[in-house]
């Protein structure tokens, strides 16, 4: 029996236009998934959810980064636009901050409001990237390019520092020699220096009594919690002993507890934590005995964060 073609329902083929959009959506979805994986948004999302279940007492026993708000936002360090601020450290002795400039090597002392007190030339350093304050006016400086750790003495009369005058320690080779040791923090509780490799992110410890003498060899810290694109700087909270890990590429500050577990984080994107704009490239972080946070960003920007009142 013949069938009338006018009565046979036709199967509508997808147009070339709709197929094109379908493939574009698939490509976009794959791209977003890739970006999320690289930026570790899934990990940050999981940590954000876990933060919601932390009790008030647990929060008070940590630094608790979500509560911080910028009170000094992107204050320029005058005359340092071409010097590249590379790290930041707080001195409980002088109640001031010290920062190293990586491109044109020198040490700068700052007030807690980000005002420049003095500049100290670093003679013989190639690329100072890491800095921490130890005991009795001693500062440890990491030269990323030369893979050297130098422990210097700074007082009120210091006008210049020559690397030849101080003890030096070879940090050895890194997996990526161009992204080597960049971060350092003094841990007075454990009597050790905490060192950080930029990429892939990794941490090491080197025992010390706070003097210019280091004992033994550096030891790698086993950790699967450094899910960051890079490691820019480290700092130890003197109140809790927790570690602050800064990542310029991930635009993030991460808090780890004494066991190395993630506790809290703070995004450094504009619109969050009182920041008007995204911190361009956060390279240094410090925290004082009151819990006030300080940061520097390339090329010459200063930030101060305080806990928002509840």
């Amino acid at each position: 029996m013949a069938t009338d073609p006018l009565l046979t329902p036709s199967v509508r083929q997808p147009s070339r236009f709709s197929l094109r959009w379908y493939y574009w959506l698939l490509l976009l979805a794959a791209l977003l998934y890739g970006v999320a994986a690289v930026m570790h948004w899934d990990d940050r999302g999981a940590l954000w959810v876990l933060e919601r279940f932390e009790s008030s007492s647990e929060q008070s026993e940590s630094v608790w980064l979500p509560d911080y708000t910028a009170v000094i936002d992107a204050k320029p360090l005058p005359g340092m636009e071409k010097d590249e601020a590379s790290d930041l450290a707080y001195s409980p002795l002088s109640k001031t901050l010290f920062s190293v400039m990586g491109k044109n090597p020198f040490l700068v002392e700052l007030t807690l409001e980000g005002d420049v007190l003095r500049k100290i030339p670093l003679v013989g350093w190639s690329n100072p990237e890491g800095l921490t304050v130890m005991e009795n006016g001693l500062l440890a400086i990491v030269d990323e390019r030369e893979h050297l750790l130098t422990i210097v003495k700074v007082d009120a009369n210091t006008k210049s520092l020559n690397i030849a005058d101080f003890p030096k320690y070879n940090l050895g080779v890194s997996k990526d020699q161009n992204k080597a040791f960049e971060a350092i923090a003094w841990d007075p509780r454990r009597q050790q220096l905490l060192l950080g490799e930029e990429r892939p992110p990794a941490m090491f410890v080197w025992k010390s009594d706070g003097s210019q003498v280091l004992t033994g060899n550096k030891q790698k810290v086993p950790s699967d919690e450094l899910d960051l694109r890079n490691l820019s700087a480290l700092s130890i909270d003197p109140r809790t002993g927790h570690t602050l890990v800064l990542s310029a590429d991930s635009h993030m500050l991460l808090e780890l507890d004494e066991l190395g577990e993630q506790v809290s984080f703070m995004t450094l994107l504009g619109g969050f934590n009182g920041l008007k704009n995204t911190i361009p490239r956060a390279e240094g972080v410090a925290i004082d005995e009151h819990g006030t946070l300080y940061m520097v960003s390339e090329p010459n920007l200063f930030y101060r964060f305080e806990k928002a009142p509840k």
Side-chain angles (χ1 to χ4, degrees):
M1 180 179 179
T3 303
D4 189 340
L6 295 177
L7 299 177
T8 303
S10 61
V11 178
R12 186 177 181 182
Q13 297 295 321
S15 68
R16 191 174 296 177
F17 177 78
S18 63
L19 283 174
R20 189 180 300 129
W21 270 107
Y22 175 75
Y23 291 129
W24 274 113
L25 285 173
L26 283 179
L27 180 61
L28 179 61
L31 180 62
L32 288 174
Y33 178 81
V35 171
V38 171
M39 295 294 287
H40 300 283
W41 288 344
D42 51 343
D43 300 304
R44 295 291 78 79
L47 182 55
W48 183 86
V49 171
L50 290 175
E51 285 180 345
R52 310 280 75 77
F53 294 96
E54 295 285 348
S55 66
S56 298
S57 61
E58 289 172 323
Q59 293 181 25
S60 65
E61 293 171 358
S62 67
V63 180
W64 203 249
L65 297 171
D67 285 349
Y68 279 84
T69 300
V71 294
I72 298 179
D73 188 356
K75 178 178 180 178
L77 299 174
M80 301 183 199
E81 297 83 357
K82 299 180 180 180
D83 297 317
E84 294 185 356
S86 293
D87 202 357
L88 191 66
Y90 170 73
S91 171
L93 191 64
S94 61
K95 309 297 182 187
T96 59
L97 297 161
F98 287 91
S99 181
V100 282
M101 301 293 140
K103 191 171 183 180
N104 300 304
F106 66 87
L107 183 70
V108 59
E109 186 173 11
L110 306 167
T111 69
L112 302 184
E113 288 72 40
D115 298 319
V116 178
L117 294 173
R118 58 174 170 162
K119 298 179 182 178
I120 303 172
L122 295 175
V123 180
W125 275 268
S126 176
N127 183 225
E129 288 284 342
L131 170 74
T132 192
V133 174
M134 299 176 69
E135 309 288 341
N136 304 316
L138 295 179
L139 279 72
I141 300 174
V142 169
D143 190 313
E144 184 180 25
R145 188 172 300 148
E146 301 299 328
H147 307 276
L148 281 181
L149 165 63
T150 309
I151 302 177
V152 305
K153 176 78 173 180
V154 176
D155 58 32
N157 300 314
T158 303
K159 304 296 182 185
S160 178
L161 294 168
N162 192 313
I163 197 170
D165 298 333
F166 303 101
K168 295 173 284 294
Y169 297 88
N170 191 330
L171 294 173
V173 298
S174 297
K175 188 172 183 179
D176 186 340
Q177 291 290 83
N178 295 318
K179 299 293 180 182
F181 287 93
E182 179 166 321
I184 186 169
W186 168 240
D187 188 343
R189 292 190 182 192
R190 301 174 182 85
Q191 291 288 286
Q192 63 189 17
L193 286 167
L194 182 63
L195 295 152
E197 277 187 312
E198 182 181 3
R199 190 180 294 131
M203 294 192 299
F204 298 77
V205 293
W206 204 329
K207 289 295 182 180
S208 168
D209 60 359
S211 71
Q212 290 178 302
V213 178
L214 302 183
T215 58
N217 299 306
K218 73 178 193 299
Q219 303 292 327
K220 188 170 184 179
V221 178
S223 177
D224 57 0
E225 299 293 299
L226 297 177
D227 47 358
L228 300 163
R229 295 180 66 195
N230 80 319
L231 194 161
S232 302
L234 294 165
S235 188
I236 304 293
D237 177 28
R239 304 161 305 155
T240 63
H242 289 190
T243 302
L244 298 178
V245 184
L246 183 66
S247 174
D249 290 351
S250 294
H251 296 292
M252 186 169 301
L253 181 64
L254 182 65
E255 177 187 3
L256 305 178
D257 65 15
E258 302 95 322
L259 301 176
E261 300 292 332
Q262 295 182 5
V263 178
S264 70
F265 76 98
M266 178 171 69
T267 182
L268 307 180
L269 300 176
F272 294 89
N273 296 86
L275 291 169
K276 184 178 180 181
N277 297 305
T278 297
I279 297 181
R281 185 162 188 83
E283 291 287 337
V285 63
I287 187 168
D288 65 21
E289 65 269 24
H290 304 296
T292 303
L293 279 171
Y294 309 89
M295 286 188 202
V296 288
S297 170
E298 291 182 357
N300 66 325
L301 300 178
F302 177 84
Y303 299 80
R304 173 171 165 160
F305 296 83
E306 296 178 0
K307 273 203 172 183
K310 290 187 176 181

